[in-house]
Amino acid sequence: MTDQFGRNINYLRVSITDRCNLRCFYCMPQQPEPLCHRDILRYEEITRIAAQAALLGITKIRITGGEPLVRKDCPQLIAMLKQIKGIQTVAMTTNGTLLEQALPELCEAGLDAVNISIDTLQEADWCRITGYDGNMPNWPDVLEKCIKVGLKTKVNAVLLQETREEWTQLAALAEHLPVDVRFIEQMPIGQGKTSDCNTAQVVLQQLSKQWPDLQPAEEREQNSPARYYRSKKLTGRIGMIASLSNPFCSTCNRIRLTSTGQLKPCLSYGQHTDLRTLLRSGASDETLRSALRECIYAKPRQHCFAEQTAQAEQQTMNRIGG
Ligand code: SAM
Ligand code: SF4
């Protein structure tokens, strides 16, 4: 369906947990207070909402978190979502640490695509950023395995001050692998308000030194927040998600469901519809659908990151799902 500004809303992001095995400093409090299990939507509840959303024109769902793979039986939810009429794509955004062992089950469940968040290939920096005290996964190996099993695979990297010198190395993953490496401007949400960030322009300048023929890609993915670039030396593409310096609000096609059942029409605002209360008070499918419809219609014209108004979202990113 279209919202009040005529945008076609067809993409639902679902955060299935606030918990995570990492502590990326720009996302998660170092000492988080995890939500109780009873506060989190059950898979049946998520599926019921998704089915009503599909009737309103949602065709793509992305599972996120927290870390989606720390929640038990995540592939089961994917299989349930894939069975909904009208849902064409189920994707996942993950930190990738638990991905390799989960791949067979995820594929069997029907997962279509995976975005892996990797901010740097330098192990010491990766451990510092994520707070992980084990070994960093062998990322080229993980990516190759994802591609081999047929998942459309992308890399997401937040543009952090401390990884400035490492962006070219990260982008070089697209030299030999058919992956899109996407750089994301850090958003001022939760922990992300407190650290320095860079713009897409800065990384683009750096990458153009390594690949002087880097040019905007001719193809334009409808509704993608990323602007893509190609070089003859790259198999995959480089993407820039410039949410702050070049917002994509006018073509935004997404809504978000938090793990506690808040339906959010825009990431940046606290504004939401409490679907959990509706579900648990016995609402009919029709009532649920009409709540979804109202929330979608009221999607704000643009984000409020620059103004930081009183209506701005106060929750941390691990609770919203990115
Ligand atoms: N744990 C999974 C992961 O890291 O991919 C999924 C959840 S995470 C919240 C989803 C995405 O949000 C990740 O790509 C992460 O880098 C990004 N993210 C977290 N905080 C952010 C911020 N303040 N600004 C921009 N992106 C952020
Ligand atoms: Fe966890 Fe993802 Fe947040 Fe990092 S970005 S702390 S991996 S939820």
Side-chain angles (χ1 to χ4, degrees):
M1 68 169 273
T2 51
D3 70 2
Q4 59 179 324
F5 300 109
R7 293 170 295 195
N8 182 27
I9 309 302
N10 55 15
Y11 175 22
L12 172 67
R13 296 177 63 101
V14 182
S15 171
I16 64 169
T17 178
D18 59 316
R19 296 177 192 224
C20 186
N21 57 338
L22 302 185
R23 292 287 178 273
C24 304
F25 67 80
Y26 52 81
C27 171
M28 183 114 176
Q30 297 303 298
Q31 306 290 336
E33 286 170 23
L35 296 163
C36 303
H37 287 300
R38 67 173 178 279
D39 291 335
I40 301 286
L41 292 188
R42 295 189 300 276
Y43 287 161
E44 292 72 19
E45 292 175 318
I46 294 173
T47 308
R48 197 169 155 217
I49 293 171
Q52 294 312 309
L55 289 173
L56 295 175
I58 296 293
T59 57
K60 174 176 173 180
I61 296 179
R62 178 173 297 280
I63 306 293
T64 171
E67 172 48 40
L69 291 175
V70 303
R71 181 156 172 189
K72 201 164 164 270
D73 298 329
C74 173
Q76 196 182 313
L77 173 66
I78 291 165
M80 288 159 81
L81 296 173
K82 284 289 286 188
Q83 277 169 19
I84 298 173
K85 193 162 168 243
I87 298 301
Q88 295 161 8
T89 307
V90 177
M92 171 185 283
T93 295
T94 169
N95 65 33
T97 52
L98 305 168
L99 189 54
E100 227 178 303
Q101 64 266 38
L103 269 183
E105 272 189 282
L106 291 172
C107 289
E108 198 175 325
L111 186 70
D112 295 291
V114 70
N115 286 0
I116 309 178
S117 305
I118 311 171
D119 294 332
T120 174
L121 295 179
Q122 293 294 317
E123 183 158 34
D125 287 336
W126 183 82
C127 289
R128 214 171 7 255
I129 291 164
T130 61
Y132 195 64
D133 70 353
N135 294 331
M136 180 176 80
N138 179 335
W139 292 121
D141 202 43
V142 173
L143 293 169
E144 255 178 70
K145 287 188 171 127
C146 292
I147 294 161
K148 202 167 161 201
V149 294
L151 291 174
K152 194 162 180 232
T153 306
K154 294 180 184 166
V155 170
N156 283 345
V158 177
L159 285 168
L160 304 170
Q161 196 56 24
E162 32 285 277
T163 55
R164 242 184 117 92
E165 304 304 319
E166 298 152 23
W167 295 333
T168 304
Q169 186 190 28
L170 195 62
L173 285 170
E175 268 183 343
H176 303 295
L177 294 169
V179 292
D180 293 337
V181 179
R182 312 187 317 163
F183 293 92
I184 305 176
E185 289 179 354
Q186 184 181 306
M187 291 176 277
I189 289 220
Q191 308 303 112
K193 282 184 194 153
T194 53
S195 50
D196 292 338
C197 49
N198 281 286
T199 62
Q201 207 49 38
V202 177
V203 65
L204 204 53
Q205 274 165 10
Q206 186 187 114
L207 302 188
S208 296
K209 288 187 191 141
Q210 178 74 12
W211 298 286
D213 68 334
L214 206 60
Q215 286 295 328
E218 274 170 24
E219 73 280 5
R220 196 152 168 135
E221 268 177 42
Q222 228 192 354
N223 298 122
S224 171
R227 290 188 171 79
Y228 285 105
Y229 296 80
R230 281 191 184 280
S231 155
K232 287 206 171 71
K233 299 249 168 66
L234 296 174
T235 309
R237 300 179 298 181
I238 304 298
M240 299 293 157
I241 304 186
S243 320
L244 285 103
S245 67
N246 195 0
F248 54 90
C249 302
S250 65
T251 56
C252 183
N253 63 340
R254 55 196 65 195
I255 51 172
R256 293 172 164 83
L257 182 67
T258 68
S259 56
T260 56
Q262 296 178 347
L263 187 70
K264 282 175 61 63
C266 174
L267 174 65
S268 73
Y269 293 92
Q271 168 192 349
H272 66 266
T273 299
D274 178 3
L275 293 183
R276 186 185 65 191
T277 300
L278 264 184
L279 275 171
R280 294 185 183 175
S281 60
S284 67
D285 285 348
E286 242 163 52
T287 306
L288 212 50
R289 202 158 62 243
S290 118
L292 276 152
R293 196 183 285 119
E294 259 175 50
C295 181
I296 292 173
Y297 189 76
K299 185 174 164 72
R301 185 192 287 274
Q302 57 199 31
H303 68 58
C304 63
F305 289 139
E307 306 95 54
Q308 284 298 317
T309 64
Q311 290 84 42
E313 177 60 86
Q314 298 303 322
Q315 300 185 82
T316 48
M317 200 67 113
N318 63 302
R319 290 214 169 163
I320 309 169

